[in-house]
Amino acid sequence: FTGEVRCEAPNNKLDKFTGTLTLRGEKYALDNEKMLLRGCTIRNTEWCFGLVIYAGPDTKLMQNSGKTTFKRTSIDRLMNVLVLVIFAFLALMCLILAIGNGIWEHEKGYYFQVYLPWAEGVTSASYSGFLMFWSYVIILNTVVPISLYVSVEIIRLGNSFYIDWDRKMYYPLNDTPAQARTTTLNEELGQIKYIFSDKTGTLTQNIMCFNKCSINGKSYGDVYDMSGQRIEINENTEKVDFSYNQLADPKFAFYDHSLVEAVKLSDVPTHRFFRLLSLCHTVMPEEKKEGNLVYQAQSPDEGALVTAARNFGFVFRARTPETITVVEMGETKIYKLLAILDFNNVRKRMSVIVRSPEGDLTLYCKGADTILYELLHSSCDSLKEETTEHLNEFAGEGLRTLVVAYKNLDEDYFQDWIRRHHEASTALEGREDKLSELYEEIEKDLMLLGATAIEDKLQDGVPQTIETLAKANIKIWVLTGDKQETAMNIGYSCNLLNDDMDDVFIIEGSTSDDVLNELRNARKKMKPDSFLDTDEINIQFGKSSKKPKILPDEQANGVYGLVITGHSLAYALEGNLELELVRTACMCKVVICCRVTPLQKAQVVELVKKYKKAVTLAIGDGANDVSMIKTAHIGVGISGQEGMQAVLSSDFSFAQFRYLQRLLLVHGRWSYIRMCKFLKYFFYKNFAFTLVHFWYGFFSGFSAQTVYDEWFITLYNLVYTSLPVLGMSLFDQDVGDCWSMLFPQLYVPGQQNLYFNKMVFVKCMLQGIYSSLILFFIPYGAMYNTMRSDGKAIADYQSFALMAQTCLLIVVSVQIGLDTSYWTVVNQFFIWGSLSVYFAITFTMYSDGMYMIFTASFPFVGTARNTLSQPNVWLAIFLSITLCVLPVVGFRFLKAQLKPTPSDKVLLKIKEAKKRPPPPSPKRRLRRTSTRRSGYAFSHQHGFGALIMSGRNMRPKSPFATTGTFSPNSDKHKQKGL
Amino acid sequence: IENKMSFLPQKEGKHPSRCPDNSAFKQQKLPAWKPQLTTATVLSTFFLTGAFCLSVGICLILSANSVREVQIDYSDRCSDCSKLRENSSNWNRECHCSVNFTLKEDILGDVFMYYGLENFYQNHRRYVISRSDAQLLGQNVNIEKSYCTPFTMYRNGTPMAPCGAIANSMFNDTIDLFYNLKSSVIQVPLLKTGNSWWTDKNVKFRNPKAYNLSSAFAGTARPPYWWKPVYLLDEEDERNNGYLNDDFIIWMRVSAFATFRNLYRRVHRIRQFADGLPAGNYTFHISYNFPVTKFKGRKHVILSTVVWSGGSNPFLGIAYVVSGAAATLTGFVITAIHLKLRKKKTYFQK
């Protein structure tokens, strides 16, 4: 095989490809029809020839996945700003002290030169001040928290491990634990405001279940107990035994025994119903081992219907272009397939025309109720009413419904029709129109058979999760490649959309103007005021400026949903419509974007990131979600299913959508609170520590004299205070996990960034300044002009240093104790341990032995023994603690009493609730009262009909299919033997 | 399907399950004490702290008031000497001055004599580091490497012993106390040793080892401002001479602030002074050597008794009383607010 391919450069257009293949001098056109995208599964063939055109990052799918950017959290950015602010603050302090030094040297130092000459080279007070500026930069640099970055990373790493370790996020069925793949984004999990979710594989399992049906006016599928009450179906409910049917699919579960009874009693409509299901479809069977039938359906809905028929005894076993082999109640029948009237989006139905072995000509049709009801024979009117009732019932439970009908055909008419059909299908012009006319002609006066109800199985706990997340004020946007019907249907079944909503806007305009109008109308309805000139946003955005602006949150006058199709979205994402889209969409509680490309998913996320000051999270399972996962602040991949691309590009991954609530409400919230507490404390302790030097400057001639022993300065951040705060930020829990799940409102402060922002930082700074004042002036006052109880002097520098540093260390330890709300053994160990280590190290360093060995390094010999034995030193320490901590206690308590934040109120509620026995876990089932119905969901495109009739996809016939017996086929064994 | 089967738990024996351990630590379920700011704890904290601070404060004030203290600023009283000392060329001229004072009541118990300096920046960074601890330990070290500059060596290369600005500026006034009983004048016996920390005297300061003290300091010279070399600081007492001199040791323990007092002498409780200082007229005889007027410094001499909490400084006592009062008051305010809020709450609940 030698040839040449000339084609376009790698790009991200999924629906276009141009190229030519030159093979032995001949040129073949390569277009999109001949291309398979990365990730496609080839079915119904054992082998095929292919040529890889682009691989890896050059594939169209990967080109769609967007750039990988380095993600940082908002706290990171804030921290950088704050560090700059602190640098400025440091410069200011140094400047003040340098000026002070200049003045002091001029006023006093100049005259004090008898005892202390100026340093060499210093000739003037101002030069001394200049030098002192740099000395103070060195002394006061501890106010810049250098170790902050390291500690922050350690905390994030620790909190990421908790995610990996959480058994409540472990999915036993495929042995998948949750995984934090990025360890630097944890606290942002506690601030999510927008969730962008994929549908298939994320919200749904992509499994369809034949759940209920209505046959000839009788509804099947519900289970009733003796008293006629409906029973909730759960794992313990007795399943229908299909063992009588050896070809049954063991995974199929059905609970209503009356349907089997009806089949066994040979009820004619029931048999016809299942016969229809086994004949009217485009499913391909595969039987590699006898009796082990596998159906390959283009849409899982069809697969579910055919599987249902199979289990009830109408086993679709094989097909050829002309025949369909069905094992009806154990008896093999070969139907002649005369025509497939294929599905498309307009018709919303499909039919087959078959000739039974007995020679009857029948048309079987299944389709959306709205369409099919128009085509029924008038004799079905009463049945229609009963079926409608059942349909409403099914739709109310969020099931996808289909109506099935049949029609016996007249031989002569059919022969005429098939001739015309043949003509039409070979016509060169207007083939589509002619065909659909013909289809419409024959699909009328149908006899209603009943309806099917299929459950698009949601992943476990999806509606509950969505409800909880909604309570936490998180907005959920569903971005799916599915079509509108399906997407909306899932929207209803997982409680995103419901009938209590004031309105659900559907944006499906196909021009830019249409889309604009639809968006405007929606906004007009939600917030008429927003069109007034006085509206703040209009004013703000009226002014042109290049800087991207942040949209404030707007409140709509009710609860609204928005559905937008990919086509309209393409217009809406263009230039001037962008703002309109984001304003309208963000006012809605729920937004569903359907038929969107992977790139559009990313664009939508980007849009919200651009205009909203909010943290976004994208969750998905497939390669088509990679782009949005990478774009969002946080990307979550659903793991444990086929395909790893989403997981590989995600920041967090787990197996089930429902774990999202635990990730956000428990891990995210804790991480956020811990991080904020850590930052607050860290800044506080550094301010309290460093500013004491600043005050001392005023009393020591601005000479850059430190208050503390230099060893203490070295060890303070490293040894004495690092572990308690790490302990707090790894173990702290303000409320337990079950409470934060029970009260999702507790999540809201994180979204509003309430626990750590510039304001909080200023408060920390003020508290630090206050503490440093206390920590300087109490020891100062206590030592001023006084003596020890044995008459010796006390106010020497070393004693003062020891006293001040002991005060400081105990105060910051008490402060961390006050901040810690969850004292585990580790916390106790760290806090008490740090204090003991301080005293141990201090006594060791100030011991005689150390002085004799390292004279120059430990000049504080004896200070600890002499000073810490004095009662007034301890009294001063106690007073410092009281004055530093008691106001904080009072302030916190009064603030919670007088101006309780909403989360304070919830905490109070929890405190009261804890006194009572724990609440029963909320197990109420979400009942919807939807009257909406139908979600006829076949494939995205037209069906396989043409392909099947052409026979191109048929392999050599399966040897089992031709026989009606279940005995092992002897031919095959013979072949194998050969 | 086969692929899925391999994930089922039955086959766990082959593949170890990835299920996380069920340990309290990993599941964040470590048993913990969860203290909370309840009304009861907050109020009891405030009231208990308030009561404690108030009582400690009153005790402190009472005991500070029981301290008897006489403080005399002699930088003005000896203005002649001050002026003399302003001119450094008069360094070798002795100047004496007497300060009289009257005790109206006996001062009972141990009486301590301090000298106090004001506006003397012993805590200046360059001053604080201007010493060589190794030298003071009697070790033979090269003091050029220390921070002693400019008081390290004379031009001729003789090192200073002790070196540095601290040692050079040592307080060198001598103060004697005389009791004027009727017409006779009795010198109050004063103890000049035992005034420093034990660790300083026995660990931190050591004379160089030699056959006698003067030879130990051979090859060194006194600091420029000193009148006599270090081995002549106390000729009477070998144990109080050289680096081991108490006055020197006390001076070398630099003060944290520019205003400070150092213990100078203790009254030896013998004879008339066995119970302390009796009431009467006294005179300080001061040999005024230490110039301070140039940098607006002041000198004091202080006689004081001590109690368990130290001297007469009432700061701690007052601070305790104020804090205690504030804490108690806040306690009442919080109680009031709490009661009011509870009333409101029950009102709403009705």
Side-chain angles (χ1 to χ4, degrees):
Chain A
F1 184 86
T2 42
E4 188 186 44
V5 176
R6 283 178 173 271
C7 64
E8 59 186 20
N11 61 44
N12 60 17
K13 293 196 184 78
L14 293 179
D15 51 352
K16 260 181 72 183
F17 185 81
T18 47
T20 51
L21 167 69
T22 318
L23 190 64
R24 293 184 208 99
E26 271 190 78
K27 277 192 175 181
Y28 301 90
L30 297 177
D31 58 10
N32 205 37
E33 293 277 297
K34 299 191 172 71
M35 295 295 294
L36 292 175
L37 294 179
R38 173 180 176 160
C40 284
T41 312
I42 303 168
R43 284 183 172 161
N44 301 316
T45 180
E46 295 274 296
W47 52 268
C48 74
F49 283 121
L51 179 69
V52 177
I53 297 206
Y54 287 121
D58 290 340
T59 56
K60 283 176 180 283
L61 221 59
M62 294 312 279
Q63 293 270 316
N64 245 298
S65 62
K67 276 189 302 230
T68 307
T69 48
F70 182 64
K71 291 181 181 178
R72 310 217 60 180
T73 66
S74 54
I75 292 234
D76 269 330
R77 288 186 289 273
L78 180 62
M79 244 158 53
N80 291 343
V81 173
L82 293 183
V83 167
L84 287 182
V85 170
I86 291 175
F87 264 114
F89 182 69
L90 171 69
L92 178 74
M93 284 197 297
C94 293
L95 190 70
I96 292 172
L97 292 168
I99 293 171
N101 181 260
I103 296 170
W104 186 87
E105 292 289 353
H106 185 262
E107 298 284 315
K108 294 189 174 161
Y110 179 75
Y111 303 100
F112 195 59
Q113 286 197 70
V114 246
Y115 291 126
L116 186 65
W118 281 352
E120 262 177 84
V122 177
T123 49
S124 71
S126 48
Y127 183 59
S128 162
F130 170 76
L131 290 181
M132 214 45 77
F133 179 85
W134 300 108
S135 301
Y136 269 115
V137 169
I138 294 167
I139 299 229
L140 298 179
N141 79 65
T142 46
V143 80
V144 182
I146 298 163
S147 59
L148 180 75
Y149 287 95
V150 181
S151 310
V152 161
E153 293 307 321
I154 293 174
I155 291 164
R156 286 177 178 156
L157 187 71
N159 282 309
S160 303
F161 275 123
Y162 286 133
I163 294 173
D164 294 350
W165 288 335
D166 195 341
R167 280 172 82 93
K168 287 185 180 151
M169 283 164 49
Y170 166 76
Y171 191 54
L173 284 188
N174 53 14
D175 191 30
T176 313
Q179 205 187 354
R181 300 173 39 84
T182 311
T183 56
T184 54
L185 300 172
N186 297 53
E187 78 272 359
E188 206 138 71
L189 287 176
Q191 299 184 278
I192 305 292
K193 204 155 187 195
Y194 288 90
I195 291 179
F196 298 92
S197 174
D198 176 39
K199 185 192 77 73
T200 313
T202 307
L203 297 176
T204 64
Q205 301 178 350
N206 207 14
I207 295 175
M208 301 293 163
C209 263
F210 178 83
N211 219 340
K212 283 176 189 176
C213 61
S214 159
I215 302 172
N216 203 19
K218 191 170 182 313
S219 165
Y220 297 98
D222 285 326
V223 186
Y224 297 91
D225 64 6
M226 307 291 268
S227 58
Q229 286 288 313
R230 226 172 87 170
I231 305 172
E232 291 280 335
I233 290 171
N234 55 36
E235 295 103 60
N236 302 328
T237 317
E238 194 200 342
K239 285 182 189 168
V240 169
D241 181 22
F242 288 111
S243 58
Y244 68 90
N245 180 354
Q246 292 179 28
L247 285 169
D249 183 351
K251 279 181 293 177
F252 181 82
F254 201 78
Y255 301 93
D256 188 357
H257 294 264
S258 57
L259 185 54
V260 189
E261 295 307 310
V263 173
K264 283 183 178 164
L265 288 173
S266 301
D267 180 47
V268 178
T270 313
H271 273 205
R272 192 175 281 142
F273 178 85
F274 283 116
R275 188 174 298 128
L276 183 150
L277 293 186
S278 66
L279 290 171
C280 177
H281 55 78
T282 56
V283 172
M284 297 299 298
E286 197 175 10
E287 193 173 6
K288 288 185 181 160
K289 224 164 60 189
E290 169 148 28
N292 186 3
L293 264 174
V294 178
Y295 291 138
Q296 307 251 338
Q298 196 190 10
S299 92
D301 296 46
E302 272 202 313
L305 291 178
V306 181
T307 306
R310 165 182 169 185
N311 274 47
F312 282 101
F314 289 78
V315 186
F316 164 64
R317 197 132 193 228
R319 75 154 79 234
T320 66
E322 299 88 30
T323 60
I324 296 176
T325 311
V326 178
V327 183
E328 280 182 18
M329 304 307 285
E331 180 188 347
T332 303
K333 284 187 173 179
I334 298 174
Y335 287 84
K336 280 225 161 65
L337 177 61
L338 301 172
I340 295 180
L341 286 57
D342 207 355
F343 170 85
N344 73 27
N345 273 325
V346 184
R347 285 161 43 78
K348 295 190 177 179
R349 62 183 184 266
M350 80 162 285
S351 306
V352 291
I353 300 171
V354 292
R355 189 191 299 275
S356 70
E358 292 83 28
D360 300 330
L361 258 182
T362 320
L363 178 142
Y364 292 108
C365 180
K366 65 180 179 185
D369 50 2
T370 44
I371 304 284
L372 229 61
Y373 269 22
E374 304 294 316
L375 309 173
L376 292 181
H377 194 263
S378 52
S379 63
C380 309
D381 280 354
S382 65
L383 181 56
K384 207 161 120 184
E385 269 172 43
E386 287 169 42
T387 311
T388 310
E389 223 168 87
H390 293 153
L391 279 173
N392 286 341
E393 214 173 278
F394 298 157
E397 290 163 36
L399 304 176
R400 300 192 190 196
T401 54
L402 274 182
V403 171
V404 294
Y406 76 103
K407 180 186 180 185
N408 288 321
L409 292 176
D410 181 58
E411 183 70 45
D412 296 339
Y413 171 71
F414 175 72
Q415 290 305 336
D416 176 46
W417 184 86
I418 196 81
R419 186 183 49 77
R420 284 186 286 142
H421 176 258
H422 183 74
E423 274 169 24
S425 58
T426 49
L428 292 173
E429 279 167 39
R431 186 193 300 170
E432 297 286 309
D433 293 341
K434 281 181 189 163
L435 276 178
S436 68
E437 244 171 67
L438 274 174
Y439 289 170
E440 237 160 84
E441 182 197 312
I442 200 163
E443 285 170 331
K444 65 182 182 195
D445 294 336
L446 302 175
M447 302 300 291
L448 181 60
L449 254 179
T452 62
I454 289 175
E455 189 184 356
D456 185 358
K457 267 207 153 172
L458 294 175
Q459 295 213 0
D460 292 339
V462 165
Q464 290 87 341
T465 306
I466 283 175
E467 199 197 1
T468 313
L469 293 177
K471 271 195 204 156
N473 206 15
I474 298 173
K475 293 190 173 172
I476 297 167
W477 293 28
V478 177
L479 309 177
T480 173
D482 283 2
K483 54 191 205 117
Q484 188 186 329
E485 275 281 284
T486 327
M488 283 181 75
N489 207 43
I490 288 301
Y492 277 97
S493 62
C494 58
N495 220 24
L496 277 166
L497 302 171
N498 54 49
D499 284 355
D500 299 336
M501 284 188 153
D502 293 292
D503 203 351
V504 176
F505 306 111
I506 295 172
I507 312 289
E508 47 191 354
S510 50
T511 66
S512 186
D513 290 339
D514 284 354
V515 174
L516 179 67
N517 280 338
E518 283 171 336
L519 286 172
R520 285 231 161 128
N521 288 340
R523 183 148 68 91
K524 202 169 266 171
K525 189 163 179 198
M526 285 191 285
K527 195 184 177 194
D529 299 351
S530 68
F531 283 94
L532 300 177
D533 288 338
T534 50
D535 186 68
E536 271 181 41
I537 298 170
N538 289 342
I539 296 169
Q540 195 196 333
F541 280 82
K543 291 181 237 153
S544 60
S545 114
K546 277 192 176 172
K547 219 176 126 208
K549 288 165 183 168
I550 299 299
L551 266 178
D553 278 336
E554 291 181 277
Q555 209 59 50
N557 56 12
V559 182
Y560 294 94
L562 182 83
V563 178
I564 184 162
T565 63
H567 198 64
S568 310
L569 195 62
Y571 291 109
L573 288 172
E574 273 169 17
N576 47 351
L577 258 68
E578 223 178 49
L579 184 66
E580 199 64 45
L581 173 69
V582 87
R583 272 189 87 173
T584 309
C586 289
M587 262 194 266
C588 297
K589 190 166 163 261
V590 173
V591 177
I592 296 177
C593 304
C594 33
R595 310 227 59 161
V596 292
T597 64
L599 205 60
Q600 276 180 327
K601 289 185 178 187
Q603 283 172 333
V604 171
V605 177
E606 193 62 54
L607 184 71
V608 174
K609 270 173 83 178
K610 184 170 157 197
Y611 283 106
K612 287 280 176 180
K613 201 183 164 206
V615 184
T616 55
L617 178 144
I619 178 167
D621 72 318
N624 56 347
D625 305 315
V626 167
S627 59
M628 79 172 173
I629 284 175
K630 281 183 179 172
T631 312
H633 290 106
I634 305 247
V636 178
I638 300 284
S639 54
Q641 282 156 7
E642 70 261 47
M644 286 292 287
Q645 267 130 12
V647 173
L648 287 178
S649 52
S650 68
D651 305 308
F652 298 90
S653 72
F654 43 69
Q656 291 275 300
F657 180 78
R658 66 170 187 271
Y659 298 150
L660 188 63
Q661 57 178 336
R662 194 171 168 82
L663 184 73
L664 300 189
L665 298 184
V666 178
H667 289 283
R669 188 169 166 278
W670 278 347
S671 294
Y672 175 68
I673 288 179
R674 286 167 184 173
M675 185 58 70
C676 293
K677 274 191 170 182
F678 167 80
L679 290 175
K680 278 197 272 188
Y681 177 75
F682 206 89
F683 285 119
Y684 163 75
K685 94 177 156 85
N686 275 321
F687 274 110
F689 170 66
T690 311
L691 287 175
V692 177
H693 295 312
F694 181 76
W695 309 123
Y696 193 46
F698 290 86
F699 293 84
S700 63
F702 305 95
S703 60
Q705 175 64 18
T706 57
V707 176
Y708 318 115
D709 176 13
E710 61 188 66
W711 285 105
F712 180 79
I713 296 174
T714 314
L715 298 176
Y716 175 73
N717 267 329
L718 210 65
V719 177
Y720 299 146
T721 60
S722 60
L723 287 181
V725 67
L726 268 186
M728 179 185 75
S729 25
L730 288 177
F731 296 104
D732 209 49
Q733 304 178 6
D734 58 339
V735 291
D737 51 349
C738 53
W739 293 105
S740 44
M741 300 273 257
L742 214 55
F743 292 96
Q745 306 92 298
L746 287 172
Y747 191 76
V748 177
Q751 294 172 331
Q752 297 169 341
N753 219 353
L754 286 185
Y755 291 144
F756 193 80
N757 50 40
K758 285 174 190 152
M759 206 47 221
V760 174
F761 172 73
V762 170
K763 277 187 198 161
C764 292
M765 219 165 125
L766 291 178
Q767 195 198 344
I769 292 172
Y770 167 76
S771 286
S772 70
L773 279 170
I774 296 290
L775 290 170
F776 177 74
F777 283 101
I778 295 294
Y780 171 64
M783 284 193 162
Y784 187 77
N785 269 356
T786 186
M787 50 288 262
R788 292 151 45 117
S789 48
D790 59 2
K792 291 170 188 171
I794 196 175
D796 65 286
Y797 166 71
Q798 294 186 340
S799 299
F800 175 71
L802 180 69
M803 191 166 162
Q805 68 200 32
T806 310
C807 279
L808 171 75
L809 198 74
I810 297 182
V811 164
V812 295
S813 298
V814 173
Q815 181 67 41
I816 191 84
L818 198 64
D819 286 345
T820 306
S821 46
Y822 196 77
W823 287 71
T824 63
V825 189
V826 187
N827 293 84
Q828 301 268 12
F829 178 73
F830 280 172
I831 293 177
W832 298 116
S834 291
L835 276 177
S836 340
V837 162
Y838 165 71
F839 284 108
I841 289 184
T842 306
F843 274 94
T844 312
M845 286 197 309
Y846 297 177
S847 67
D848 308 349
M850 293 298 274
Y851 186 72
M852 299 319 285
I853 302 166
F854 309 104
T855 308
S857 307
F858 302 105
F860 275 59
V861 58
T863 313
R865 268 172 285 174
N866 282 294
T867 306
L868 294 179
S869 60
Q870 293 302 307
N872 55 350
V873 168
W874 286 103
L875 284 175
I877 291 173
F878 180 80
L879 187 65
S880 311
I881 299 166
T882 310
L883 287 179
C884 284
V885 174
L886 213 53
V888 180
V889 174
F891 181 75
R892 286 195 187 165
F893 180 74
L894 281 182
K895 202 181 155 212
Q897 291 267 310
L898 291 173
K899 268 177 136 187
T901 58
S903 52
D904 280 335
K905 285 178 190 160
V906 176
L907 293 178
L908 200 72
K909 228 188 264 173
I910 290 174
K911 212 193 288 174
E912 274 162 23
K914 271 184 188 164
K915 289 173 194 158
R916 292 191 294 265
S921 54
K923 271 229 167 152
R924 72 218 132 77
R925 190 173 160 92
L926 292 164
R927 269 251 82 86
R928 275 168 285 100
T929 52
S930 175
T931 54
R932 197 188 159 273
R933 71 160 139 49
S934 181
Y936 182 68
F938 272 122
S939 51
H940 301 177
Q941 296 135 24
H942 55 83
F944 273 152
L947 199 60
I948 289 171
M949 294 302 283
S950 73
R952 274 197 288 142
N953 64 334
M954 300 289 169
R955 282 182 289 120
K957 273 178 212 160
S958 165
F960 317 115
T962 47
T963 66
T965 61
F966 297 115
S967 62
N969 188 288
S970 48
D971 283 350
K972 179 151 190 201
H973 288 280
K974 269 181 208 161
Q975 280 173 354
K976 270 196 173 173
L978 291 169
Chain B
I1 292 166
E2 278 169 6
N3 201 16
K4 266 195 182 158
M5 289 296 280
S6 67
F7 284 121
L8 289 177
Q10 290 96 315
K11 287 206 174 179
E12 260 175 28
K14 276 184 189 169
H15 310 278
S17 167
R18 297 200 286 155
C19 183
D21 298 345
N22 193 10
S23 65
F25 168 65
K26 288 190 172 180
Q27 301 309 314
Q28 305 200 61
K29 294 240 178 269
L30 285 176
W33 173 53
K34 295 166 224 169
Q36 276 176 326
L37 286 184
T38 61
T39 318
T41 51
V42 171
L43 282 181
S44 52
T45 311
F46 270 92
F47 283 123
L48 286 178
T49 318
F52 176 77
C53 288
L54 276 177
S55 42
V56 170
I58 289 164
C59 287
L60 280 170
I61 289 179
L62 288 179
S63 52
N65 282 345
S66 71
V67 170
R68 301 294 311 281
E69 189 180 285
V70 178
Q71 176 166 346
I72 291 159
D73 182 338
Y74 68 90
S75 35
D76 282 341
R77 301 244 192 132
C78 308
S79 52
D80 297 342
C81 288
S82 303
K83 275 189 191 122
L84 183 83
R85 287 285 167 239
E86 267 181 47
N87 188 347
S88 55
S89 59
N90 298 325
W91 67 272
N92 54 357
R93 283 175 60 187
E94 286 197 25
C95 181
H96 292 280
C97 131
S98 299
V99 178
N100 297 320
F101 69 100
T102 309
L103 282 186
K104 287 188 180 132
E105 283 171 63
D106 295 351
I107 302 182
L108 299 178
D110 286 331
V111 181
F112 300 86
M113 191 161 118
Y114 302 87
Y115 61 86
L117 289 175
E118 237 175 76
N119 224 355
F120 190 96
Y121 281 81
Q122 257 204 324
N123 59 0
H124 195 283
R125 185 178 56 87
R126 280 187 295 110
Y127 186 88
V128 172
I129 59 173
S130 185
R131 62 192 285 161
S132 167
D133 281 324
Q135 187 193 37
L136 298 175
L137 252 183
Q139 293 170 0
N140 187 15
V141 287
N142 184 1
I143 53 170
E144 266 187 283
K145 283 183 189 158
S146 70
Y147 293 99
C148 284
T149 38
F151 304 104
T152 315
M153 278 186 197
Y154 287 100
R155 288 220 182 100
N156 61 9
T158 320
M160 295 179 199
C163 75
I166 310 178
N168 180 52
S169 60
M170 184 180 159
F171 181 80
N172 55 0
D173 285 2
T174 47
I175 306 166
D176 292 313
L177 181 58
F178 292 91
Y179 179 41
N180 307 321
L181 188 64
K182 289 155 198 163
S183 56
S184 63
V185 175
I186 306 166
Q187 183 166 14
V188 179
L190 297 173
L191 293 169
K192 56 188 176 185
T193 56
N195 298 336
S196 60
W197 289 3
W198 183 90
T199 45
D200 284 355
K201 183 99 177 174
N202 295 287
V203 181
K204 208 173 179 186
F205 292 84
R206 271 182 206 174
N207 284 321
K209 285 201 177 65
Y211 138 80
N212 69 18
L213 211 51
S214 57
S215 61
F217 289 101
T220 63
R222 61 184 167 85
Y225 289 10
W226 283 27
W227 290 26
K228 47 191 174 187
V230 65
Y231 52 87
L232 296 179
L233 281 177
D234 189 344
E235 289 164 74
E236 298 155 20
D237 185 354
E238 181 71 15
R239 285 276 302 133
N240 195 30
N241 205 353
Y243 293 150
L244 291 179
N245 181 267
D246 260 27
D247 290 342
F248 175 66
I249 290 174
I250 287 171
W251 181 256
M252 292 305 286
R253 184 155 280 282
V254 293
S255 163
F257 299 99
T259 300
F260 61 94
R261 48 174 73 168
N262 277 345
L263 183 57
Y264 183 64
R265 295 286 182 265
R266 290 177 295 148
V267 173
H268 196 191
R269 289 170 67 175
I270 46 166
R271 299 193 298 273
Q272 296 99 314
F273 310 104
D275 298 328
L277 290 181
N281 291 324
Y282 289 85
T283 308
F284 283 121
H285 278 272
I286 298 162
S287 150
Y288 196 115
N289 303 321
F290 197 71
V292 289
T293 41
K294 207 158 183 200
F295 53 89
K296 300 199 187 75
R298 307 199 76 82
K299 297 197 280 191
H300 305 271
V301 58
I302 300 133
L303 286 173
S304 176
T305 59
V306 292
V307 285
W308 64 276
S309 62
S312 66
N313 176 6
F315 172 82
L316 262 189
I318 293 171
Y320 261 99
V321 169
V322 171
S323 314
T328 318
L329 205 67
T330 318
F332 281 119
V333 171
I334 291 178
T335 316
I337 290 171
H338 181 71
L339 288 178
K340 206 173 166 190
L341 282 178
R342 204 168 63 180
K343 218 172 173 185
K344 213 158 133 197
K345 217 184 265 170
T346 47
Y347 175 78
F348 276 125
Q349 275 167 358
K350 274 174 199 166

